[in-house]
Amino acid sequence: MIRTRRLRRSEALRDLVRETELDARDFIYPLFITARAGAREEIISMPGIYRYGADRLEEELDELTALGLRAVLLFGLPAAKDELGSGAWAEDGVVQQAVRRIKALRPEMLVITDVCLCEYTSHGHCGLTRGAEILNDETLPLLARTALSHAAAGADVVAPSDMMDGRVAAIRTALDGDGFADTALMAYSVKYASAYYGPFREAADGAPQFGDRRTYQMDPGNAREALRKIAVDTAEGADMLIVKPALAYLDIVRAAREYTVLPLAAYNVSGEYAMLKAAGRLGWLDAERVMLENLLAMKRAGADMVITYHAKEAARLLREGR
Ligand code: PBG
Ligand code: ZN
């Protein structure tokens, strides 16, 4: 008789035949950098996640390294915002300063920067605006300029999250033309207009002041469009791709995995983190086990890496052999 239970009989057997495993080296940890010097402020809807002043990063970097975490994704909260989002490409901007600081303290830490305008614009949109319209082509030079300033500060990878058409080509051309041919480009290619970004918008103070992001981020009802977007970003020169959010979009992660040969990241977003923390606090489920199960599911769906606020907790549990 064929018995599938035979291979589940002992831990050694289960370990032997397991197809997917978590590894701290595949986690990317998001870091929020604030212009407030010395700050370490907890984000209310994301317990355990803090906004750091660029001068407060050393301790955090030590902790990440001790846990075997080797990649961070930076978001900036500037001191002031304006119509153009000029803080995004300021030479002494929050992210630029943080990149320099991290590279000075830990040159081996992989530094990825989120390239977008929404944290820096007074209207909170990811592109320039004219009336209620979010302008595409006019935004591209500003994104390219932002990416260049990140690369100049020492970023290893730039990650445009704005969802304007043509940004990958614009950024790639700018990098190549200015001596940054080796700076990699990780595109948020498949980014849905999702309510799961709610806590992030509190964390990064980047909620749109009017309207929503549905004219540039993708419609949650569409899967084929994700593949079209991947094809476009690949042709424009993306080195790696992101699908976001993760949990409610694992079908998209799987489809993307089958469609592209590029390295693929799933972004385990703020709302996914917040839901689990809330349920855990209420004692309604074992949040640690669910967390590991979620992260495993993202990898099983086909992600090579996971951008996750859980990176530190998960790395700690994996160390303990969970
Ligand atoms: C900015 C950006 C967002 C996220 C990453 N980059 C928010 C948004 O598009 O509204 C979401 C991250 C998260 O929710 O964890 N463009
Ligand atoms: Zn944005």
mmCIF file of all heavy atoms in Angstrom, residues 31 33 52-55 57 61 74-75 93-105 111 153:
data_model
loop_
_atom_site.group_PDB
_atom_site.id
_atom_site.type_symbol
_atom_site.label_atom_id
_atom_site.label_comp_id
_atom_site.label_asym_id
_atom_site.label_seq_id
_atom_site.Cartn_x
_atom_site.Cartn_y
_atom_site.Cartn_z
ATOM 1 N N LEU A 31 13.778 49.391 7.306
ATOM 2 C CA LEU A 31 14.144 50.333 8.378
ATOM 3 C C LEU A 31 13.581 51.706 8.047
ATOM 4 O O LEU A 31 13.780 52.211 6.935
ATOM 5 C CB LEU A 31 15.668 50.459 8.480
ATOM 6 C CG LEU A 31 16.477 49.398 9.210
ATOM 7 C CD1 LEU A 31 17.961 49.740 9.121
ATOM 8 C CD2 LEU A 31 16.044 49.284 10.671
ATOM 9 N N ILE A 33 13.776 55.596 8.660
ATOM 10 C CA ILE A 33 14.740 56.580 9.142
ATOM 11 C C ILE A 33 14.065 57.944 9.248
ATOM 12 O O ILE A 33 13.489 58.437 8.271
ATOM 13 C CB ILE A 33 15.937 56.721 8.165
ATOM 14 C CG1 ILE A 33 16.442 55.347 7.705
ATOM 15 C CG2 ILE A 33 17.030 57.566 8.801
ATOM 16 C CD1 ILE A 33 17.078 54.521 8.766
ATOM 17 N N TYR A 52 14.027 55.239 13.353
ATOM 18 C CA TYR A 52 15.322 55.574 13.921
ATOM 19 C C TYR A 52 15.886 56.850 13.327
ATOM 20 O O TYR A 52 15.760 57.083 12.125
ATOM 21 C CB TYR A 52 16.344 54.465 13.617
ATOM 22 C CG TYR A 52 16.082 53.190 14.354
ATOM 23 C CD1 TYR A 52 15.367 52.157 13.756
ATOM 24 C CD2 TYR A 52 16.546 53.016 15.658
ATOM 25 C CE1 TYR A 52 15.113 50.974 14.430
ATOM 26 C CE2 TYR A 52 16.300 51.843 16.342
ATOM 27 C CZ TYR A 52 15.578 50.826 15.720
ATOM 28 O OH TYR A 52 15.330 49.668 16.390
ATOM 29 N N GLY A 53 16.566 57.632 14.163
ATOM 30 C CA GLY A 53 17.399 58.703 13.633
ATOM 31 C C GLY A 53 18.625 58.051 13.007
ATOM 32 O O GLY A 53 19.050 56.984 13.468
ATOM 33 N N ALA A 54 19.175 58.674 11.946
ATOM 34 C CA ALA A 54 20.335 58.065 11.280
ATOM 35 C C ALA A 54 21.482 57.862 12.260
ATOM 36 O O ALA A 54 22.302 56.953 12.106
ATOM 37 C CB ALA A 54 20.782 58.932 10.097
ATOM 38 N N ASP A 55 21.507 58.692 13.328
ATOM 39 C CA ASP A 55 22.579 58.585 14.324
ATOM 40 C C ASP A 55 22.298 57.508 15.373
ATOM 41 O O ASP A 55 23.084 57.299 16.281
ATOM 42 C CB ASP A 55 22.769 59.958 15.009
ATOM 43 C CG ASP A 55 21.468 60.479 15.625
ATOM 44 O OD1 ASP A 55 20.374 60.030 15.208
ATOM 45 O OD2 ASP A 55 21.546 61.334 16.523
ATOM 46 N N LEU A 57 21.522 54.252 14.529
ATOM 47 C CA LEU A 57 21.437 52.986 13.804
ATOM 48 C C LEU A 57 22.417 51.908 14.263
ATOM 49 O O LEU A 57 22.233 50.732 13.984
ATOM 50 C CB LEU A 57 21.644 53.234 12.303
ATOM 51 C CG LEU A 57 20.435 53.849 11.593
ATOM 52 C CD1 LEU A 57 20.834 54.330 10.204
ATOM 53 C CD2 LEU A 57 19.307 52.828 11.500
ATOM 54 N N LEU A 61 22.050 47.863 13.880
ATOM 55 C CA LEU A 61 22.879 47.117 12.927
ATOM 56 C C LEU A 61 23.598 45.962 13.624
ATOM 57 O O LEU A 61 23.723 44.872 13.067
ATOM 58 C CB LEU A 61 23.899 48.044 12.264
ATOM 59 C CG LEU A 61 23.299 49.118 11.346
ATOM 60 C CD1 LEU A 61 24.377 50.089 10.881
ATOM 61 C CD2 LEU A 61 22.611 48.481 10.140
ATOM 62 N N LEU A 74 15.596 50.722 3.128
ATOM 63 C CA LEU A 74 15.423 51.997 3.836
ATOM 64 C C LEU A 74 14.267 52.828 3.312
ATOM 65 O O LEU A 74 14.083 52.989 2.102
ATOM 66 C CB LEU A 74 16.702 52.839 3.720
ATOM 67 C CG LEU A 74 18.012 52.218 4.190
ATOM 68 C CD1 LEU A 74 19.123 53.270 4.163
ATOM 69 C CD2 LEU A 74 17.876 51.629 5.586
ATOM 70 N N PHE A 75 13.506 53.391 4.274
ATOM 71 C CA PHE A 75 12.458 54.373 3.997
ATOM 72 C C PHE A 75 12.787 55.621 4.793
ATOM 73 O O PHE A 75 13.275 55.520 5.927
ATOM 74 C CB PHE A 75 11.092 53.845 4.445
ATOM 75 C CG PHE A 75 10.626 52.655 3.665
ATOM 76 C CD1 PHE A 75 10.832 51.370 4.147
ATOM 77 C CD2 PHE A 75 9.989 52.812 2.439
ATOM 78 C CE1 PHE A 75 10.412 50.258 3.422
ATOM 79 C CE2 PHE A 75 9.565 51.707 1.712
ATOM 80 C CZ PHE A 75 9.777 50.433 2.202
ATOM 81 N N GLY A 93 19.703 64.307 2.473
ATOM 82 C CA GLY A 93 18.384 63.778 2.855
ATOM 83 C C GLY A 93 18.510 62.660 3.887
ATOM 84 O O GLY A 93 19.606 62.142 4.117
ATOM 85 N N VAL A 94 17.391 62.294 4.482
ATOM 86 C CA VAL A 94 17.423 61.290 5.551
ATOM 87 C C VAL A 94 17.980 59.948 5.071
ATOM 88 O O VAL A 94 18.824 59.340 5.724
ATOM 89 C CB VAL A 94 16.036 61.029 6.186
ATOM 90 C CG1 VAL A 94 15.846 61.897 7.392
ATOM 91 C CG2 VAL A 94 14.903 61.188 5.216
ATOM 92 N N VAL A 95 17.500 59.490 3.941
ATOM 93 C CA VAL A 95 17.955 58.182 3.448
ATOM 94 C C VAL A 95 19.427 58.249 3.033
ATOM 95 O O VAL A 95 20.212 57.346 3.348
ATOM 96 C CB VAL A 95 17.055 57.710 2.281
ATOM 97 C CG1 VAL A 95 17.688 56.555 1.531
ATOM 98 C CG2 VAL A 95 15.693 57.290 2.826
ATOM 99 N N GLN A 96 19.788 59.322 2.339
ATOM 100 C CA GLN A 96 21.176 59.482 1.909
ATOM 101 C C GLN A 96 22.121 59.456 3.118
ATOM 102 O O GLN A 96 23.166 58.789 3.085
ATOM 103 C CB GLN A 96 21.333 60.798 1.131
ATOM 104 C CG GLN A 96 20.644 60.804 -0.235
ATOM 105 C CD GLN A 96 19.138 61.073 -0.150
ATOM 106 O OE1 GLN A 96 18.535 61.181 0.928
ATOM 107 N NE2 GLN A 96 18.496 61.169 -1.310
ATOM 108 N N GLN A 97 21.742 60.157 4.172
ATOM 109 C CA GLN A 97 22.575 60.165 5.387
ATOM 110 C C GLN A 97 22.641 58.779 6.017
ATOM 111 O O GLN A 97 23.694 58.335 6.466
ATOM 112 C CB GLN A 97 22.000 61.134 6.415
ATOM 113 C CG GLN A 97 22.247 62.590 6.070
ATOM 114 C CD GLN A 97 21.777 63.496 7.215
ATOM 115 O OE1 GLN A 97 21.890 63.144 8.386
ATOM 116 N NE2 GLN A 97 21.233 64.639 6.867
ATOM 117 N N ALA A 98 21.505 58.115 6.054
ATOM 118 C CA ALA A 98 21.458 56.785 6.667
ATOM 119 C C ALA A 98 22.308 55.788 5.876
ATOM 120 O O ALA A 98 23.014 54.961 6.455
ATOM 121 C CB ALA A 98 20.017 56.303 6.764
ATOM 122 N N VAL A 99 22.258 55.878 4.542
ATOM 123 C CA VAL A 99 23.062 54.966 3.720
ATOM 124 C C VAL A 99 24.543 55.168 4.034
ATOM 125 O O VAL A 99 25.280 54.204 4.275
ATOM 126 C CB VAL A 99 22.815 55.199 2.205
ATOM 127 C CG1 VAL A 99 23.773 54.358 1.373
ATOM 128 C CG2 VAL A 99 21.373 54.860 1.834
ATOM 129 N N ARG A 100 24.952 56.429 4.063
ATOM 130 C CA ARG A 100 26.372 56.710 4.354
ATOM 131 C C ARG A 100 26.764 56.175 5.723
ATOM 132 O O ARG A 100 27.822 55.588 5.905
ATOM 133 C CB ARG A 100 26.645 58.215 4.289
ATOM 134 C CG ARG A 100 26.737 58.714 2.865
ATOM 135 C CD ARG A 100 27.275 60.145 2.803
ATOM 136 N NE ARG A 100 26.614 60.841 1.718
ATOM 137 C CZ ARG A 100 25.600 61.700 1.870
ATOM 138 N NH1 ARG A 100 25.172 62.018 3.069
ATOM 139 N NH2 ARG A 100 25.041 62.242 0.828
ATOM 140 N N ARG A 101 25.888 56.367 6.681
ATOM 141 C CA ARG A 101 26.162 55.934 8.053
ATOM 142 C C ARG A 101 26.277 54.401 8.115
ATOM 143 O O ARG A 101 27.196 53.863 8.718
ATOM 144 C CB ARG A 101 25.017 56.429 8.939
ATOM 145 C CG ARG A 101 25.122 56.107 10.365
ATOM 146 C CD ARG A 101 25.542 57.322 11.205
ATOM 147 N NE ARG A 101 25.777 56.920 12.596
ATOM 148 C CZ ARG A 101 26.990 56.770 13.113
ATOM 149 N NH1 ARG A 101 28.066 57.047 12.414
ATOM 150 N NH2 ARG A 101 27.123 56.369 14.371
ATOM 151 N N ILE A 102 25.333 53.719 7.489
ATOM 152 C CA ILE A 102 25.352 52.250 7.516
ATOM 153 C C ILE A 102 26.610 51.728 6.827
ATOM 154 O O ILE A 102 27.294 50.834 7.322
ATOM 155 C CB ILE A 102 24.084 51.664 6.855
ATOM 156 C CG1 ILE A 102 22.850 52.041 7.677
ATOM 157 C CG2 ILE A 102 24.189 50.145 6.701
ATOM 158 C CD1 ILE A 102 21.518 51.720 7.003
ATOM 159 N N LYS A 103 26.925 52.308 5.683
ATOM 160 C CA LYS A 103 28.101 51.841 4.938
ATOM 161 C C LYS A 103 29.395 52.138 5.688
ATOM 162 O O LYS A 103 30.376 51.400 5.555
ATOM 163 C CB LYS A 103 28.115 52.463 3.531
ATOM 164 C CG LYS A 103 27.126 51.779 2.591
ATOM 165 C CD LYS A 103 27.543 50.323 2.361
ATOM 166 C CE LYS A 103 26.577 49.553 1.497
ATOM 167 N NZ LYS A 103 26.961 48.120 1.392
ATOM 168 N N ALA A 104 29.396 53.226 6.491
ATOM 169 C CA ALA A 104 30.587 53.540 7.290
ATOM 170 C C ALA A 104 30.713 52.540 8.440
ATOM 171 O O ALA A 104 31.808 52.070 8.762
ATOM 172 C CB ALA A 104 30.498 54.964 7.828
ATOM 173 N N LEU A 105 29.589 52.203 9.056
ATOM 174 C CA LEU A 105 29.604 51.300 10.213
ATOM 175 C C LEU A 105 29.777 49.845 9.796
ATOM 176 O O LEU A 105 30.485 49.089 10.448
ATOM 177 C CB LEU A 105 28.295 51.435 11.000
ATOM 178 C CG LEU A 105 28.066 52.735 11.766
ATOM 179 C CD1 LEU A 105 26.605 52.844 12.201
ATOM 180 C CD2 LEU A 105 28.984 52.818 12.984
ATOM 181 N N VAL A 111 22.573 47.323 1.386
ATOM 182 C CA VAL A 111 21.649 48.445 1.576
ATOM 183 C C VAL A 111 20.791 48.643 0.327
ATOM 184 O O VAL A 111 21.296 48.936 -0.757
ATOM 185 C CB VAL A 111 22.406 49.746 1.916
ATOM 186 C CG1 VAL A 111 21.427 50.911 2.027
ATOM 187 C CG2 VAL A 111 23.184 49.585 3.220
ATOM 188 N N ALA A 153 25.266 57.896 -2.496
ATOM 189 C CA ALA A 153 25.486 57.760 -1.047
ATOM 190 C C ALA A 153 26.037 56.378 -0.697
ATOM 191 O O ALA A 153 26.538 56.168 0.406
ATOM 192 C CB ALA A 153 24.189 58.024 -0.293
#
